[in-house]
Amino acid sequence: MSEVTNAPSRRGLLKLGSIAAAAGAASVVLGNNPASAAGTATPAQPKFAALPADAKPLPMGPDGYRLDRIGPEMFAVTAGGTQSAFVVSNRGVILLDAPPALAKALPAAISKVTSKRVTHLVYSHHHADHISGAAAFGDIIRIAHADTARLIRAEHDKTRPMPTRTFTDRYSLTVGNQHLELSYPGPNHEAGNIIVHAPRQRAALMIDVVLPGWSPFSAWGTADSVPGVLRAHDVLAKLDIDTFVGGHVHRLGTPKDIKVSREFTYDLWNETRKAVAATPSAQFFGQVEPGNNWAAFKLWYNAVADKVEPVIYRKWLHRLAGVDVFTRENIVTVATSQMLDAPKDL
Ligand SMILES: [Zn+2]
């Protein structure tokens, strides 16, 4: 059942990298659309870099979802680019998130491996795409960080029932013969987004921070704290695990995926910092209508991104998927974070 240890084709990745380098980053992104050139009504679409081998979709099971064994009693369910996991104890099933995209797949997958019912649900964070299938599991024990509870309360959303237990720093969850360590590394992708460590399964789950094989989504999916995303990577990198559950895209991760994602995130941060230091913003205020501060900042962001983007493409286009899709806007996110969050310890 497990596909976790499939090694990516390094030769394939290197080949892609050399093609991308030879073609130049701009031509990879701004290709011509043949239909448009032929005069049809189809609007021109940008071309994107091909996915590296270890970022491509994996085969689904016969029922349209993927069930991977993570550890002796832990499993992951993946479908439609969304992922959650569950742990089977001798007293019941502990579910880690209830994504609406897996509303059918999760109960089906659980019933394939155990006849025990779901007794506990851990919310990774408050985002609807990971927990708004929760109500379907009925009146069970729901555990979340206190900030996740506050965010859910503010939404007044029946699909996200309130947690019945909350914590702030650490929470040890023991259900029968299973033990999970829940911990909070501080605000990151979202305030309240936690790490779930299952030592007996040699696995951990943290959602929307490390996406195995992939570069970050747009603005890290509305990241509450970009420095916090870096700090969360630091914490994940220290865990003694074999398998990592990231919550999105196509496969499970390994400690190497955490290491690579951390390297990318720090690289983007450091290259943006260099570009910001080399690009004084004052010059752009003279290029726009007096008082149009937004326009001046837009020009400044463009100048910063023009410096960082080619550097990141050259180093990362062949290593992670989607680098050419959202990196430019993530440079803007990082530049804004460096102005506003102004962290001193990174
Ligand atoms: Zn999220």
Side-chain angles (χ1 to χ4, degrees):
M1 215 183 298
S2 175
E3 300 285 339
V4 179
T5 54
N6 279 355
S9 160
R10 285 292 146 208
R11 193 179 299 158
L13 299 185
L14 291 170
K15 190 178 170 198
L16 173 80
S18 62
I19 291 168
S27 67
V28 173
V29 181
L30 303 170
N32 292 322
N33 184 313
S36 172
T40 68
T42 309
Q45 298 289 341
K47 281 186 180 172
F48 297 107
L51 296 177
D54 68 353
K56 290 177 187 286
L58 296 175
M60 292 290 132
D63 301 323
Y65 65 88
R66 188 175 174 79
L67 176 60
D68 288 298
R69 183 187 285 273
I70 291 176
E73 298 102 9
M74 184 170 177
F75 301 83
V77 180
T78 309
T82 300
Q83 191 174 60
S84 71
F86 62 93
V87 181
V88 181
S89 84
N90 58 357
R91 293 279 179 85
V93 175
I94 309 159
L95 187 56
L96 309 178
D97 279 351
L102 302 178
K104 286 186 179 166
L106 262 183
I110 292 167
S111 67
K112 263 188 189 170
V113 297
T114 180
S115 58
K116 293 199 165 53
R117 66 185 190 93
V118 177
T119 54
H120 294 70
L121 170 57
V122 176
Y123 287 160
S124 64
H125 65 305
H126 120 290
H127 282 163
D129 61 325
H130 294 282
I131 65 166
S132 76
F137 291 91
D139 190 18
I140 57 175
I141 296 168
R142 290 181 293 270
I143 303 142
H145 188 271
D147 288 347
T148 296
R150 285 190 201 105
L151 288 162
I152 291 172
R153 184 176 291 117
E155 305 290 358
H156 300 292
D157 179 358
K158 283 181 189 156
T159 68
R160 284 177 277 183
M162 286 295 290
T164 58
R165 296 180 191 172
T166 61
F167 68 98
T168 51
D169 294 323
R170 290 191 164 270
Y171 186 90
S172 291
L173 175 62
T174 299
V175 182
N177 63 341
Q178 294 293 346
H179 177 73
L180 304 181
E181 281 294 331
L182 282 47
S183 62
Y184 183 51
N188 54 90
H189 161 72
E190 191 182 42
N193 193 33
I194 59 168
I195 296 168
V196 180
H197 183 202
R200 181 174 154 136
Q201 316 296 327
R202 296 195 51 79
L205 172 147
M206 185 179 208
I207 303 300
D208 293 344
V209 171
V210 173
L211 301 170
W214 285 71
S215 60
F217 190 66
S218 172
W220 275 282
T222 75
D224 283 8
S225 169
V226 175
V229 170
L230 272 71
R231 289 191 283 262
H233 275 86
D234 295 344
V235 176
L236 291 175
K238 289 180 184 142
L239 292 177
D240 181 21
I241 56 170
D242 294 328
T243 308
F244 176 77
V245 183
H248 279 295
V249 210
H250 305 304
R251 67 173 172 87
L252 294 165
T254 63
K256 189 184 171 197
D257 287 306
I258 294 170
K259 188 167 171 279
V260 170
S261 178
R262 181 173 178 271
E263 186 186 337
F264 176 87
T265 307
Y266 271 93
D267 202 18
L268 188 61
W269 179 272
N270 291 329
E271 290 296 342
T272 302
R273 195 201 282 287
K274 271 194 268 175
V276 164
T279 314
S281 60
Q283 58 186 302
F284 300 104
F285 284 83
Q287 297 175 22
V288 298
E289 181 185 344
N292 193 344
N293 293 14
W294 276 206
F297 270 104
K298 176 78 173 176
L299 297 180
W300 178 75
Y301 278 132
N302 280 339
V304 169
D306 285 345
K307 286 177 182 154
V308 180
E309 203 177 15
V311 178
I312 295 294
Y313 279 21
R314 193 164 57 244
K315 288 195 269 188
W316 288 97
L317 208 49
H318 63 295
R319 292 186 70 189
L320 287 174
V323 168
D324 57 330
V325 182
F326 289 132
T327 291
R328 192 173 178 90
E329 52 197 270
N330 276 323
I331 293 164
V332 172
T333 302
V334 169
T336 306
S337 170
Q338 291 180 356
M339 277 191 292
L340 305 183
D341 298 321
K344 299 284 182 283
D345 61 342
L346 293 172

